Amino acid sequence: MEGDALKDLDCQRTLDGRGSSNNGSGKAILIPACCLKAKASKPELGTKCHSTVVSGWFSETQPSSDKFGKQVFFNNPMWPGEAHSLKVENILFQEKSKYQEVLVFQSSAYGRVLVLDGILQLTEKDECAYQEMIAHLPLCSIKSPKNVLVVGGGDGGVLREICRHSSVELIDICEIDQMVIDVSKKFFPELAIGFEDPRVRLHVGDAIEFLKQAPEGKYDAIIVDSSDPVGPAQELVEKPFFKNIARALRPGGVLCTMAESMWLHTHLIDDIIYICREIFKGSVHYAWASVPTYPSGVIGFLLCSTEGPPVDFVHPINPIEKLRGALEFRRELKFYNTQIHEAAFALPSFVKREVTALR
């Protein structure tokens, strides 16, 4: 792929299915092609993400060939202009599932690493920040959650964290890729231990269809722990999916979903928030956490509640420190606490300026 080819990628549909976003203002805003994740890759240009290990280093880059047939590497179009690398001690697993390429390797600094379609998903060293925050931000914001649904989360880490909440009676998890589950059980047992809890019911299949069939108002909380919306995860950031989530939640029920990095995609965050404010009639808030191995070292979470009993996401009504046995269940909490919870909603000034939906 030539150096300027990324600039020629066609802007295709955004989260709400149009070629541009109006953010509720009526004025079309062109969304950069790099952020239209599943649609940003043109196979004919060789831009499909792959797991790339070169000279003992893993990088979130893409292999292609120059005009002389020599293999070269370009930045991932999801975060152009930068590359993220980890030193590889040895590759433990690499195989293509029905849906994506799955790679596990031992790194020199972050322990074992899981990569899907060339995009780093987790490392043993810093997975605690993501898993703990995406689970406890919603569950500590409501009283005595009982029924919880996890979308994605095939590594089991979110399950592990939900299981700290003794009030929870049922945890449904819908993961599309059986290989991710199997690989996680073999190579990441500290995460996959979540599957061992008797409250967990595993459903291997399409979460879109699963939610369509879910009884109305069944869940107290739904946690969407999907990979970046490339391939099988694309539909998990679109309006129909959020509508099905809202229908499956009880009045005052909560959603927590991964919502990109504020350093890279404020326009995409803006779009997601506007969509969710149309659908969820309670609270909609953006929070963030530090995860060193994610692009920019930061990941965001969108928290929404349905119409009903009000939810104050910023001040947890169900603090983790007061839940019997929660701090040490399976393993000690490493990242999350009530102070971190409250601080996660404090946003930098540039985010408040650029994400108009937060004003």
Side-chain angles (χ1 to χ4, degrees):
M1 181 175 174
E2 297 298 326
D4 291 332
L6 271 178
K7 299 177 183 177
D8 298 327
L9 290 176
D10 295 330
C11 275
Q12 302 182 47
R13 62 183 180 142
T14 54
L15 298 178
D16 60 356
R18 299 190 297 274
S20 62
S21 167
N22 62 26
N23 286 349
S25 66
K27 183 180 179 181
I29 300 171
L30 195 63
I31 302 298
C34 66
C35 295
L36 307 181
K37 295 184 175 178
K39 301 297 182 180
S41 297
K42 284 191 170 182
E44 66 271 22
L45 294 177
T47 60
K48 187 177 183 349
C49 299
H50 294 279
S51 299
T52 306
V53 178
V54 179
S55 300
W57 288 81
F58 163 81
S59 293
E60 292 177 318
T61 57
Q62 301 172 78
S64 187
S65 299
D66 64 14
K67 59 185 178 181
F68 302 107
K70 181 181 178 181
Q71 190 176 50
V72 293
F73 297 89
F74 296 97
N75 296 126
N76 192 304
M78 292 168 55
W79 34 87
E82 58 185 287
H84 306 270
S85 300
L86 291 176
K87 185 170 179 55
V88 178
E89 295 293 335
N90 60 300
I91 294 175
L92 303 174
F93 181 90
Q94 187 169 18
E95 192 172 320
K96 187 171 179 59
S97 76
K98 181 180 178 182
Y99 302 99
Q100 56 204 338
E101 185 182 55
V102 181
L103 168 70
V104 179
F105 66 87
Q106 180 73 38
S107 72
S108 62
Y110 283 85
R112 290 182 176 181
V113 180
L114 174 65
V115 179
L116 299 179
D117 272 346
I119 301 172
L120 189 150
Q121 302 298 308
L122 63 88
T123 79
E124 287 183 307
K125 183 173 183 177
D126 65 6
E127 58 85 10
C128 58
Y130 178 84
Q131 313 285 5
E132 292 176 15
M133 291 293 278
I134 200 171
H136 302 310
L137 286 174
L139 295 183
C140 289
S141 297
I142 55 177
K143 287 185 177 180
S144 303
K146 290 182 172 57
N147 297 320
V148 181
L149 170 64
V150 178
V151 173
D155 54 72
V158 172
L159 295 178
R160 180 194 67 201
E161 296 306 316
I162 295 171
C163 291
R164 294 182 190 271
H165 293 257
S166 58
S167 66
V168 171
E169 298 173 355
L170 168 69
I171 311 169
D172 279 327
I173 176 170
C174 188
E175 163 63 51
I176 197 169
D177 197 336
Q178 181 68 50
M179 183 180 288
V180 172
I181 298 170
D182 295 340
V183 165
S184 298
K185 288 181 177 180
K186 181 175 181 179
F187 296 104
F188 300 93
E190 280 205 359
L191 285 92
I193 195 171
F195 286 104
E196 298 176 10
D197 196 284
R199 293 170 288 180
V200 172
R201 295 196 314 195
L202 172 62
H203 310 267
V204 178
D206 184 351
I208 305 292
E209 294 304 316
F210 183 87
L211 273 164
K212 287 178 181 178
Q213 303 300 321
E216 184 174 352
K218 177 177 181 179
Y219 297 106
D220 300 289
I222 296 177
I223 298 170
V224 181
D225 176 26
S226 65
S227 57
D228 286 286
V230 175
Q234 167 65 18
E235 291 181 275
L236 305 188
V237 293
E238 296 178 339
K239 188 179 290 186
F241 180 67
F242 287 123
K243 286 183 176 179
N244 284 326
I245 286 178
R247 186 190 63 81
L249 286 169
R250 64 158 172 83
V254 296
L255 160 71
C256 185
T257 183
M258 185 272 288
E260 303 304 331
S261 166
M262 61 188 179
W263 290 105
L264 300 174
H265 299 120
T266 51
H267 49 278
L268 182 55
I269 294 167
D270 210 13
D271 231 22
I272 297 172
I273 292 174
Y274 269 108
I275 288 172
C276 287
R277 283 194 170 155
E278 282 184 31
I279 296 168
F280 296 89
K281 304 304 181 182
S283 300
V284 177
H285 282 271
Y286 184 82
W288 60 283
S290 170
V291 184
T293 52
Y294 286 173
S296 83
V298 166
I299 195 65
F301 307 98
L302 192 64
L303 292 112
C304 310
S305 64
T306 56
E307 188 174 13
V311 177
D312 181 359
F313 286 115
V314 180
H315 304 100
I317 196 173
N318 192 29
I320 196 80
E321 293 86 355
K322 294 185 178 180
L323 301 180
R324 184 177 178 182
L327 299 180
E328 297 83 21
F329 185 83
R330 298 292 191 187
R331 72 170 192 180
E332 287 187 336
L333 278 171
K334 294 184 177 181
F335 188 89
Y336 177 89
N337 56 49
T338 293
Q339 291 73 36
I340 288 287
H341 182 124
E342 294 176 347
F345 294 91
L347 300 177
S349 297
F350 81 89
V351 176
K352 294 180 180 180
R353 287 193 299 268
E354 295 179 20
V355 181
T356 60
L358 292 172
R359 297 174 189 169

